[in-house]
Amino acid sequence: KGSHDGQYVITSHSMRFEPTDKNVQASAWPLPSIRQVHTRRYRLRRSALEVFFADRTSAFMDFESTARRSAAYRALVDDAQPPHLLHIYKESQSPAELLYLFGLT
């Protein structure tokens, strides 16, 4: 809730946010709760990720650069490999194919 500086730590079991401000509570999510990871823009820059969880909540995080966002995405999706992650973008890169994949055409 709100914007906080800090660090994301991705392990083989969880993703944690460790805030710089000691008055802000740290957050942790088990990898099996992660359902989707999407790249996002923040302040017109391609520097953010949004992670969606099984409980229908999400976390939006800005990494301040495309390179850092890409590294975080690879660490989470490719290296940690959440077991219940939906890989909708690995199936198709075309919007038309994506609509077809979900039966919307």
Side-chain angles (χ1 to χ4, degrees):
K1 316 228 176 196
S3 177
H4 304 287
D5 290 330
Q7 178 177 350
Y8 280 91
V9 178
I10 300 168
T11 69
S12 60
H13 302 291
S14 68
M15 178 177 77
R16 292 189 321 266
F17 175 69
E18 298 174 350
T20 305
D21 183 351
K22 299 302 178 192
N23 294 322
V24 175
Q25 185 174 354
S27 299
W29 303 272
L31 288 183
S33 71
I34 296 173
R35 293 296 182 263
Q36 295 182 28
V37 179
H38 296 275
T39 56
R40 297 288 193 233
R41 289 179 185 233
Y42 180 69
R43 295 186 177 168
L44 301 177
R45 295 174 298 151
R46 295 174 182 189
S47 62
L49 290 177
E50 189 168 13
V51 180
F52 294 88
F53 302 99
D55 64 359
R56 298 181 183 256
T57 60
S58 66
F60 186 90
M61 50 202 90
D62 177 43
F63 293 94
E64 298 179 346
S65 75
T66 302
R68 290 177 66 189
R69 176 190 73 178
S70 296
Y73 182 89
R74 283 192 305 275
L76 182 58
V77 174
D78 297 336
D79 299 341
Q81 298 181 349
H84 303 295
L85 184 67
L86 300 175
H87 291 286
I88 62 171
Y89 294 111
K90 293 195 184 234
E91 301 282 331
S92 164
Q93 292 297 319
S94 160
E97 290 175 356
L98 200 55
L99 290 170
Y100 178 79
L101 179 68
F102 287 105
L104 299 174
T105 60

